[in-house]
Amino acid sequence: MDREQLRAIQGPWKDKYRTDPAAARQTLRGVAKLDIGTLSCLLNSNVADPLVAGLHPLTGGTGEHACSAEMLLQALAGCAAITLSAVTTAMGLAVSGGQVVAEGDLDFRGTLGVDRDTSVGFTAIRLILELDTTASPEELNKLVSLTERYCVVFQTLASPPQVTCSVRPSENRH
């Protein structure tokens, strides 16, 4: 895709959101259907194959199911990669390939309740852009800055929203 194709795809959306800001505000939703007997869940998805999440092997899982903590890193890497691709295209930078890597440091003693003083969750996350490019250091600095700025997952992690948890009766109660 080149810069003009990107503008043609995104232009109408940008115009719509400029004239109707309310149309840009949407509530996205993720749903996980419980399978308590196997300590796993079936995640909804807009792709053909549903994803099953379960315990990480370092917490007793078999490794046959996706780990939600790793999926968080994958979501960050995927969002950053797509954002980077769009920014690269818009800037007209010469990037021929590469990959985006998200790494996170996690101490499993926290989530297993082994040590109450150990944090539950990632204590550090690093996003690494490994690029095949001839872009200048100045261009790469701008690319990093714009990727950080426009990546939804990066911004959500960098400036966390209010998160709540509540219980309500299931719609499928028998």
Side-chain angles (χ1 to χ4, degrees), residues 29-45 50-54 65 170-174:
R29 190 169 191 222
V31 177
K33 183 174 176 152
L34 297 175
D35 186 344
I36 294 173
T38 64
L39 298 180
S40 67
C41 62
L42 184 65
L43 300 168
N44 72 328
S45 174
L51 184 60
V52 178
H65 302 306
S170 171
E171 296 173 4
N172 299 324
R173 285 189 353 182
H174 301 312

Side-chain angles (χ1 to χ4, degrees), residues 127-170:
L127 187 64
I128 303 138
L129 314 178
E130 298 176 351
L131 304 176
D132 301 324
T133 183
T134 57
S136 70
E138 295 81 21
E139 291 171 320
L140 291 175
N141 286 338
K142 184 174 182 181
L143 176 62
V144 167
S145 176
L146 293 174
T147 298
E148 289 176 351
R149 179 178 178 181
Y150 294 116
C151 175
V152 170
V153 177
F154 185 96
Q155 285 301 315
T156 301
L157 292 171
S159 300
Q162 177 184 354
V163 180
T164 61
C165 182
S166 62
V167 176
R168 68 179 177 203
S170 171

Side-chain angles (χ1 to χ4, degrees), residues 54-117:
L55 292 173
H56 187 279
L58 294 178
T59 63
T62 63
E64 68 182 297
H65 302 306
C67 166
S68 298
E70 289 174 336
M71 290 189 317
L72 176 69
L73 296 175
Q74 292 165 344
L76 174 59
C79 187
I82 293 164
T83 303
L84 178 141
S85 296
V87 169
T88 297
T89 301
M91 290 177 63
L93 291 183
V95 176
S96 59
Q99 64 183 9
V100 174
V101 179
E103 299 175 338
D105 300 330
L106 181 68
D107 186 332
F108 285 101
R109 292 177 302 162
T111 192
L112 287 175
V114 171
D115 180 355
R116 286 189 161 292
D117 295 329

